[in-house]
Amino acid sequence: MLNQKKISRAGSVTIPAHLRRELGLEPGEVLDVSHTNKGDIVLKRSRGFCLFCKSDRELVMYDGRFVCKTCIDRMKKEADHV
Ligand SMILES: [Zn+2]
């Protein structure tokens, strides 16, 4: 789906709400901004919050969402009891 957004006077661009929901983007998440040789702008998720507990420590990107090591360990333990 193509979305067109205008750059504000302050240089801001709003990421569409449906994309924020779909990708689990939260206020405060940090994005790296870079550009390609063709002039395309690339936003890369670099720091965020755990999907489950909102921790910002020891994060792993899984299926487009950040999950912390503590929650991964908890899920592993619960899966062992299934
Ligand atoms: Zn967590």
Side-chain angles (χ1 to χ4, degrees):
M1 175 187 242
L2 178 65
N3 296 281
Q4 294 186 325
K5 292 290 183 177
K6 279 188 180 176
I7 299 173
S8 74
R9 286 179 188 245
S12 300
V13 177
T14 301
I15 298 171
H18 71 88
L19 263 181
R20 295 194 310 266
R21 278 193 303 274
E22 185 179 323
L23 299 173
L25 292 170
E26 301 271 351
E29 186 169 332
V30 177
L31 303 173
D32 293 335
V33 182
S34 62
H35 66 87
T36 66
N37 291 341
K38 293 181 178 178
D40 293 328
I41 297 169
V42 178
L43 299 176
K44 184 173 179 181
R45 301 171 84 176
S46 60
R47 282 188 291 139
F49 305 97
C50 174
L51 172 66
F52 301 109
C53 72
K54 306 302 180 202
S55 169
D56 63 350
R57 311 189 86 180
E58 298 184 279
L59 298 174
V60 173
M61 181 65 77
Y62 177 77
D63 201 22
R65 306 291 172 100
F66 285 114
V67 181
C68 76
K69 185 178 181 314
T70 301
C71 286
I72 291 170
D73 289 345
R74 281 185 19 220
M75 286 187 280
K76 282 181 186 172
K77 285 180 185 172
E78 289 186 26
D80 287 343
H81 290 68
V82 174

